[in-house]
Amino acid sequence: MTHSPWKIQPRTWDIFCDVVDNWGDIGVCWRLCQQLRAQGQLVRLWLNDPSALAWMRTHDDRHHDHAIDIQPWPRDDASPLPQGVVPHEVVIEAFGCQLPNAFLKAMAEQPTPPIWINLEYLSAESHVEKCHGLPSPVLSGPAYGLTKWFYYPGFTQQTGGLLREPNLPMRQQCFDRQAWRMHHVPHMPDRALLISLFCYEPSHLPELLEQCSHGKHHLLITPGRSATATEQALGSNHPSPACQMLPYTDQIGFDEILWGCDVNFVRGEDSWVRALWAGRPFIWQAYPQHDDAHHAKIAAFLDWLDAPETLRYYHRVWNGITDGLLPELTPALITEWTPYFMASRERLLAQSDLVSGLLAFVEGR
């Protein structure tokens, strides 16, 4: 595991997060805030909807709430900034969200303008390495004359890396998987697979539920869109005892679900990264895009993973890229897939993490 060779300077950070409806945006931004705070940085988080933090924050997060200044996002561009608010030394707009005009104007008026970073979406596509770290001069508008820098998370050393807290490997080593399973699913049949489900609305969900109805799997269904999609797929059918609806859980609890299951269905970005750190087989559902751009993202990730054809085919069917029936999940299939995920985790652990990369990037500016 790599470590930063320089002395970390305490700086002030503004992070803007436009919460849509999928929790991945706030999930990523909250982890980023926590990891910057752990490095001695002072963070202010601007949110248009903080409601998910009510259940997403861990007990430790709540204990240290004073360390992160949470501010409501001033979405009305005609509104001035709150009295006394000036931009911090580093400003991050997450996933290309548009900063308020009043904030952009304030940035341009600073004697030393902030380092302005667009934290991009995660992808394994080839353009990520080419575009990571590139400047984009602003030629019009209230931020005229400033420079925005593009920071791309990624899976190689030539990208911005992935979010990873320093104590993650130790937490995983201390996790008692058998005790967790006995506590959460004490009556699971022998040789049944324990599966977590965090998805959008995949068209092949009824097939997965049908497999569970025969006692071959036990399904842990996360709340929100996953639970709603499951209820719609079941229709008037009564849910099988093998379909277990989970309550909302904080980020540590979600990690433990991924560690405790045999295979995980994840979606978007935040849960995708956490499934990678879990080192267990997973099926990723990319956020569906109208122009099918997510097809290339899935293919690029599977290429990076060096995935076997059985895993590629399952992803293509689950994401609606290929017509066909959803293959039956079996212990043999999980055994086949596991080494690819374990190897990818080891590769990533040998690389710098995203926060270490960000700190170095800021110092270099």
Side-chain angles (χ1 to χ4, degrees):
M1 189 181 302
T2 57
H3 296 276
S4 304
W6 67 91
K7 180 177 175 60
I8 297 173
Q9 298 294 323
R11 300 194 181 278
T12 56
W13 300 65
D14 277 307
I15 298 176
F16 283 81
C17 177
D18 183 11
V19 181
V20 186
D21 61 350
N22 302 317
W23 301 333
D25 36 33
I26 181 58
V28 169
C29 290
W30 188 246
R31 291 186 195 277
L32 175 59
C33 289
Q34 297 302 306
Q35 292 175 37
L36 284 170
R37 184 202 68 189
Q39 294 284 4
Q41 308 298 295
L42 301 177
V43 183
R44 181 166 58 194
L45 175 62
W46 299 83
L47 286 172
N48 61 319
D49 180 6
S51 58
L53 292 182
W55 51 267
M56 186 178 289
R57 288 178 298 178
T58 65
H59 176 76
D60 186 60
D61 292 342
R62 293 183 176 91
H63 182 69
H64 293 93
D65 266 355
H66 63 278
I68 294 176
D69 181 11
I70 300 176
Q71 291 287 335
W73 183 321
R75 299 310 299 266
D76 182 0
D77 279 337
S79 300
L81 292 179
Q83 184 70 28
V85 169
V86 295
H88 283 333
E89 295 173 279
V90 186
V91 175
I92 293 180
E93 59 177 55
F95 311 124
C97 62
Q98 298 297 311
L99 302 185
N101 283 338
F103 198 89
L104 292 173
K105 184 174 182 292
M107 288 167 59
E109 292 173 347
Q110 296 304 300
T112 302
I115 299 170
W116 181 9
I117 297 171
N118 179 10
L119 181 64
E120 277 285 355
Y121 289 99
L122 174 62
S123 177
E125 294 169 282
S126 59
H127 72 266
V128 169
E129 291 186 351
K130 300 173 185 176
C131 297
H132 174 60
L134 290 183
S136 177
V138 179
L139 303 179
S140 63
Y144 173 78
L146 299 184
T147 296
K148 182 193 299 187
W149 299 87
F150 287 89
Y151 197 93
Y152 279 80
F155 301 94
T156 69
Q157 200 64 55
Q158 289 70 46
T159 68
L162 302 178
L163 283 170
R164 181 185 75 234
E165 56 274 27
N167 69 342
L168 178 62
M170 181 61 68
R171 281 178 49 216
Q172 287 182 281
Q173 289 177 15
C174 296
F175 177 66
D176 189 335
R177 186 167 184 261
Q178 191 59 36
W180 186 93
R181 289 166 71 103
M182 286 298 297
H183 175 73
H184 290 277
V185 281
H187 305 299
M188 206 174 81
D190 292 339
R191 292 190 59 77
L193 295 175
L194 184 59
I195 303 170
S196 73
L197 180 67
F198 187 54
C199 64
Y200 299 118
E201 293 81 23
S203 60
H204 290 271
L205 179 56
E207 295 169 45
L208 179 64
L209 297 174
E210 177 65 20
Q211 293 178 19
C212 293
S213 68
H214 300 303
K216 297 178 181 178
H217 314 311
H218 190 95
L219 196 61
L220 301 180
I221 303 163
T222 58
R225 290 178 69 168
S226 309
T228 301
T230 299
E231 291 167 354
Q232 291 175 346
L234 288 169
S236 59
N237 297 326
H238 294 292
S240 164
C243 293
Q244 180 178 341
M245 297 292 185
L246 296 176
Y248 287 95
T249 183
D250 61 28
Q251 290 185 321
I252 287 179
F254 185 72
D255 280 342
E256 291 181 346
I257 292 170
L258 299 177
W259 301 346
C261 288
D262 299 300
V263 60
N264 299 296
F265 285 76
V266 294
R267 72 185 197 202
E269 182 160 328
D270 183 53
S271 63
W272 180 20
V273 173
R274 303 316 291 187
L276 276 166
W277 293 132
R280 298 198 172 276
F282 66 83
I283 305 298
W284 173 50
Q285 185 182 14
Y287 186 78
Q289 295 174 275
H290 66 87
D291 58 356
D292 291 339
H294 60 295
H295 293 187
K297 291 187 69 171
I298 294 167
F301 168 66
L302 294 171
D303 286 343
W304 172 84
L305 191 68
D306 194 26
E309 178 54 32
T310 52
L311 184 59
R312 292 173 187 267
Y313 181 75
Y314 205 108
H315 272 83
R316 290 196 297 268
V317 174
W318 185 247
N319 282 276
I321 301 172
T322 297
D323 292 331
L325 295 176
L326 195 69
E328 175 76 37
L329 285 173
T330 64
L333 203 56
I334 301 309
T335 299
E336 177 192 347
W337 292 348
T338 297
Y340 296 91
F341 291 98
M342 292 297 293
S344 69
R345 179 179 180 274
E346 293 307 308
R347 275 189 285 159
L348 292 170
L349 284 173
Q351 299 173 15
S352 180
D353 65 281
L354 188 143
V355 165
S356 295
L358 264 179
L359 293 171
F361 186 82
V362 167
E363 291 303 313
R365 303 283 79 75

